[in-house]
Amino acid sequence: MAGVVQRREHRNRGDSEPPVLPGRFPVFGHLPRILRDPLSFWASLPKEDEITTVYIGKRPIYFLRSHRLVRSLLTGESRAFTRGLVFEKAAKIFGQGIIVSDGEQHGRNRRLIQPAFHHHKIEHYVDIMRSVVEERSSTWTAGQPFALSSETHETAVEVLTRTLFRADLAARAVEDVKRAFSGIVEGITAQALYPYPWMEKLPFPVNRRYERSAALFHDVVKAMIAEQRTSPLQDDSLLGTLINARDQDNALSEEQLRDETVTMLVAGAETVSTALAWLFHELGRCPQAEQRLVDELHTQLGDRPISYQDFRKLPYTAAAINEVMRLHHPNWFLSRRAVSPVSLGNRCIPAGGEVAFSLSTMHRDPEVFDHPLRFDPDRWLDGRTDDLPRSAYMPFGVGKHKCIGDAYAVAELMVSIACIIRRWTLAHQPGTRVREVPWTTVQPAGLVMVAQPRRNA
């Protein structure tokens, strides 16, 4: 496999720029086709070309179809690419948090943040996760339809708020953080897909909501950091760990603390809440899988609450999480930007070129996964994925920008499944039609479910 090469003069002979996809519209490029159904559009790109050029307005985007090239991009020469278009637009909310930053700053902040996600910390957070999920799900009304995506999102926000902030501050912060979320999700996506950069400065409602939400988010988090610093006591919260983090006696600055806290709140809530909503959607369509989860949890836990030590005893639950992160991966569009002319495979990417890929589409490759649109947790059991290429499944990314909170996210999914599924059966409201709507994550639009108490719960 050809990898990433930093300089044009080192590229293989015969390298050429990727072919342009036919059907480009004047002014808007391929954007109308992308917006109609983004996931189907990416999946429809010619398979014979590992890289295809598509246009958003007059801006070329070099889209990777090959999972091997995606892994090469993410693990290749660190100086060949920087964070791309999507992350540039997200900087209004994330600042220079690790999801956006690059280079030395990213490496240093990642080292300072990493201890907050040590398994001993995760073990402590599990108790908070369980408390939040049990409290919220206990208020559901039997037989009453509700929007599951909204519920999972609010639950994820509350979990993160209570693990991030000191206990006495978290209760006050939850509602402020929820209110600040309005406009963030659609704003990042809209500005990344504008065919011309000047459009993000126009007074569109989506732009105004994004600006207001970003400012409110920053104000809320800044106030919480200031209050948390007044505590004379050591605390085990995520923010407490970040405040006390040191690297050669240097700590995170106030601005860095704000950016990293906002990053955890926004990125963490979106990924977990989306995956959980999709999981219960699939379980509602696959009662056999739901029953196997119930049976495994009953066998391994009985009536006691789930703990961190139980995770390794729940292989089918872990398989269900793997499968929902494959079939419904939240990230439908990510990008990198070439610093100088580079080669990917046998194609040349010019300096400044935007290279994009879709983990959602990549995880549905029929050449890798049998029946890729089928929810099948069993594909992750009994050694069935032993021969899977390392590049075929990357739920939390790879390389220096791999998600730092992957263990936290899995723990929250494990806890949420165990708490909800042992108490409730969730079924689709009759007539429900669920659609994939890509914003910053692929949302299950129209997902309305009805909860009924589980027998013998």
Side-chain angles (χ1 to χ4, degrees):
M1 177 187 69
V4 179
V5 183
Q6 188 174 352
R7 297 182 179 83
R8 178 187 291 271
E9 58 265 32
H10 289 171
R11 65 178 176 153
N12 298 326
R13 290 186 177 182
D15 282 0
S16 59
E17 291 194 7
V20 177
L21 183 72
R24 176 182 171 190
F25 290 87
V27 182
F28 295 104
H30 297 98
L31 185 60
R33 295 173 60 186
I34 296 173
L35 293 179
R36 191 176 303 124
D37 188 346
L39 294 182
S40 295
F41 177 80
W42 301 137
S44 71
L45 295 180
K47 293 184 178 180
E48 60 271 18
D49 294 313
E50 290 186 324
I51 310 176
T52 302
T53 305
V54 299
Y55 276 82
I56 296 178
K58 295 182 179 180
R59 179 175 56 212
I61 305 291
Y62 304 100
F63 193 86
L64 306 187
R65 280 295 306 273
S66 164
H67 56 83
R68 293 179 178 84
L69 284 188
V70 171
R71 186 176 180 88
S72 178
L73 172 73
L74 298 179
T75 61
E77 295 286 344
S78 61
R79 297 180 182 178
F81 291 92
T82 62
R83 304 296 260 169
L85 177 67
V86 175
F87 301 98
E88 179 182 275
K89 303 307 177 186
K92 286 183 180 179
I93 180 66
F94 296 133
Q96 286 301 303
I98 60 171
I99 201 171
V100 171
S101 62
D102 215 333
E104 292 183 7
Q105 180 178 337
H106 174 270
R108 174 181 176 269
N109 286 10
R110 191 179 182 94
R111 289 191 300 272
L112 286 169
I113 294 168
Q114 191 68 62
F117 295 99
H118 189 274
H119 65 86
H120 292 306
K121 292 286 188 179
I122 301 292
E123 185 174 358
H124 168 68
Y125 303 147
V126 163
D127 293 335
I128 301 173
M129 295 171 180
R130 186 178 62 244
S131 175
V132 172
V133 177
E134 288 179 346
E135 286 175 14
R136 290 193 62 93
S137 61
S138 69
T139 66
W140 295 355
T141 302
Q144 181 66 45
F146 66 106
L148 183 61
S149 297
S150 297
E151 177 61 25
T152 58
H153 183 266
E154 291 200 6
T155 301
V157 170
E158 188 161 341
V159 166
L160 275 162
T161 303
R162 290 200 189 179
T163 53
L164 262 168
F165 301 122
R166 201 176 65 215
D168 59 316
L169 300 179
R172 291 193 287 111
V174 168
E175 294 306 318
D176 289 337
V177 170
K178 288 178 184 176
R179 190 171 67 256
F181 256 97
S182 174
I184 294 296
V185 173
E186 61 181 358
I188 294 173
T189 306
Q191 296 198 358
L193 291 177
Y194 281 149
Y196 300 98
W198 50 262
M199 295 180 70
E200 65 189 69
K201 302 183 184 299
L202 296 178
F204 295 148
V206 64
N207 291 341
R208 294 201 301 268
R209 286 193 296 270
Y210 187 28
E211 296 286 350
R212 286 197 302 267
S213 295
L216 178 57
F217 231 122
H218 290 167
D219 288 345
V220 168
V221 169
K222 186 177 179 180
M224 289 299 106
I225 293 172
E227 287 201 53
Q228 184 132 349
R229 280 193 181 279
T230 65
S231 174
L233 302 176
Q234 181 81 11
D235 69 84
D236 291 325
S237 68
L238 275 166
L239 180 56
T241 303
L242 297 187
I243 288 174
N244 292 308
R246 294 290 184 275
D247 179 10
Q248 297 178 348
D249 295 327
N250 293 316
L252 291 168
S253 69
E254 291 298 305
E255 185 177 10
Q256 289 169 340
L257 278 171
R258 183 204 66 189
D259 291 346
E260 301 303 353
T261 302
V262 170
T263 296
M264 291 180 192
L265 281 167
V266 177
E270 282 300 301
T271 300
V272 172
S273 65
T274 302
L276 193 61
W278 278 118
L279 177 64
F280 281 105
H281 165 67
E282 292 295 347
L283 294 178
R285 303 197 302 174
C286 187
Q288 298 91 342
E290 180 188 29
Q291 189 58 52
R292 287 182 64 180
L293 281 172
V294 172
D295 292 343
E296 179 177 81
L297 291 165
H298 176 73
T299 299
Q300 297 298 331
L301 305 182
D303 294 328
R304 65 178 175 79
I306 188 171
S307 68
Y308 179 77
Q309 287 72 25
D310 291 319
F311 292 175
R312 63 182 181 273
K313 306 173 188 175
L314 303 171
Y316 192 77
T317 308
I321 292 172
N322 280 337
E323 181 65 347
V324 79
M325 291 295 288
R326 181 198 68 80
L327 179 55
H328 297 291
H329 194 278
N331 297 128
W332 66 278
F333 182 76
L334 295 172
S335 62
R336 296 289 189 270
R337 182 174 295 152
V339 175
S340 58
V342 299
S343 291
L344 278 174
N346 60 354
R347 297 294 187 180
C348 178
I349 307 299
E354 293 286 341
V355 179
F357 55 95
S358 170
L359 293 178
S360 301
T361 302
M362 193 181 78
H363 288 169
R364 297 177 178 183
D365 187 345
E367 295 181 3
V368 178
F369 297 100
D370 294 333
H371 307 291
L373 298 183
R374 178 190 298 172
F375 179 74
D376 179 17
D378 278 318
R379 74 172 80 239
W380 301 99
L381 299 174
D382 302 324
R384 287 175 55 182
T385 56
D386 287 352
D387 296 329
L388 195 70
R390 293 178 64 197
S391 56
Y393 181 65
M394 297 182 285
F396 295 100
V398 292
K400 65 179 182 178
H401 288 290
K402 182 184 178 185
C403 176
I404 197 170
D406 54 352
Y408 180 103
V410 171
E412 188 176 348
L413 288 168
M414 280 276 193
V415 170
S416 298
I417 293 167
C419 292
I420 293 172
I421 208 170
R422 291 197 293 171
R423 181 169 188 155
W424 297 100
T425 298
L426 296 180
H428 295 90
Q429 183 184 30
T432 293
R433 293 185 178 180
V434 179
R435 297 179 299 109
E436 293 181 316
V437 176
W439 284 112
T440 51
T441 57
V442 184
Q443 298 290 322
L447 180 56
V448 179
M449 304 198 82
V450 179
Q452 295 290 356
R454 186 172 298 281
R455 295 178 183 178
N456 302 322

